[in-house]
Amino acid sequence: MGDETDIKRAKGTGSKFAYETIRDEILSLTLAPGALLDETALADRFGMSRSPVREALIRLAGEDLVVMLANRSTIVAPIDVTSFPKYVEALDIAQRMNTRLAAELRSDADLKAIAKRQRAFEAAVKTGKHLAMSEANKQFHMAIADAGKNPYLSGFYQRLLDQGRRMLHLHFQYLERTHDGYLLTDEHADMLDAIRARDIPRADALAHAHTRQFRDNFIAFMQENYSATMPLATPQAAE
């Protein structure tokens, strides 16, 4: 796996370009949690004044990707492992409810949209680029949420998916090392099949298992790599 900051996108100017570049580097962990973001250095790097950089950082702070400290410094938001059990609990509820609703309420157009996102995810997995994979994963699950026709649950779900993208990056690393990457595409395909069949109990069970797979692999990754410096307990909320 190489540096993923080379993902192609149309270059913009001003705060939008700074926002997209810094966001991608945070999500791909090129910028490590806790890293200092110096406005002057970023402005020099992007060839712009500090004002658009500041605007980009404010936008990222609104997405909980950076933290603006009282001393006017800005850092990449830490990944709070101690809150992971609560995060997984919320993700499990949101994932199950949106998937259940999709199985109940989906239209033929919804099925086509979900299937399109599933194909895009499979293509992203083949590239091996985690940033593309996490974006495609989010779009797949949001297509399911859209099929559920509840904008409140959908909005809550989207925020959780956004907050979890850096953890998902580590999850992908674990799957690649253990050669279990097929689980990602297979589980998505099974969820689509259950939604297509309007099988609400199966859709619920698959969504729950999907959350547990993410939880278990993330914890396994952290225990392998950080157990010497960070105590980790297996969360029970999503059992």
Side-chain angles (χ1 to χ4, degrees):
M1 181 63 57
D3 185 354
E4 296 189 26
T5 58
D6 62 346
I7 287 182
K8 295 180 181 179
R9 60 171 176 270
K11 287 191 176 181
T13 57
S15 64
K16 183 176 184 291
F17 177 63
Y19 160 78
E20 290 178 347
T21 303
I22 298 168
R23 179 200 61 194
D24 287 358
E25 291 180 353
I26 291 172
L27 292 176
S28 66
L29 299 176
T30 301
L31 284 171
L36 179 66
L37 298 172
D38 181 78
E39 289 183 20
T40 301
L42 289 170
D44 290 343
R45 174 188 170 188
F46 297 136
M48 59 183 66
S49 69
R50 289 177 58 185
S51 293
V53 171
R54 182 72 174 177
E55 291 175 14
L57 294 177
I58 290 172
R59 184 175 175 185
L60 290 164
E63 297 174 3
D64 298 322
L65 289 176
V66 307
V67 177
M68 296 183 141
L69 305 176
N71 64 359
R72 299 179 67 83
S73 297
T74 302
I75 63 171
V76 176
I79 296 177
D80 184 6
V81 178
T82 60
S83 68
F84 184 67
K86 293 297 185 184
Y87 170 80
V88 170
E89 183 178 32
L91 179 65
D92 187 46
I93 292 170
Q95 191 144 272
R96 292 170 70 180
M97 289 303 302
N98 280 286
T99 308
R100 286 179 64 93
L101 286 172
E104 179 183 1
L105 302 173
R106 88 332 180 251
S107 65
D108 289 343
D110 291 325
L111 290 176
K112 290 180 181 178
I114 298 169
K116 179 180 178 181
R117 294 301 184 182
Q118 167 59 357
R119 291 192 297 271
F121 178 74
E122 290 177 346
V125 169
K126 290 177 181 177
T127 71
K129 293 185 176 181
H130 295 167
L131 192 58
M133 290 165 64
S134 69
E135 176 62 25
N137 177 75
K138 172 189 168 182
Q139 295 302 327
F140 169 78
H141 286 289
M142 288 311 300
I144 290 175
D146 290 342
K149 311 291 194 294
N150 188 314
Y152 298 100
L153 286 174
S154 176
F156 175 56
Y157 191 29
Q158 181 172 352
R159 187 165 184 85
L160 289 171
L161 291 172
D162 284 337
Q163 290 175 343
R165 281 185 67 180
R166 289 186 294 171
M167 291 182 283
L168 190 63
H169 184 101
L170 300 177
H171 168 63
F172 290 154
Q173 287 187 18
Y174 180 84
L175 287 177
E176 286 178 349
R177 192 171 64 256
T178 57
H179 306 291
D180 283 338
Y182 71 91
L183 290 173
L184 296 166
T185 54
D186 285 3
E187 289 186 1
H188 281 190
D190 290 343
M191 292 169 75
L192 175 56
D193 287 344
I195 293 168
R196 182 180 288 114
R198 298 191 188 275
D199 190 337
I200 297 173
R202 183 165 180 257
D204 184 12
L206 288 168
H208 180 49
H210 200 54
T211 307
R212 287 196 303 170
Q213 190 240 129
F214 162 65
R215 178 204 67 185
D216 293 346
N217 289 337
F218 175 76
I219 289 176
F221 177 92
M222 296 298 289
Q223 287 175 331
E224 287 180 5
N225 293 276
Y226 301 107
S227 58
T229 57
M230 186 181 301
L232 294 174
T234 302
Q236 302 298 321
E239 287 293 349

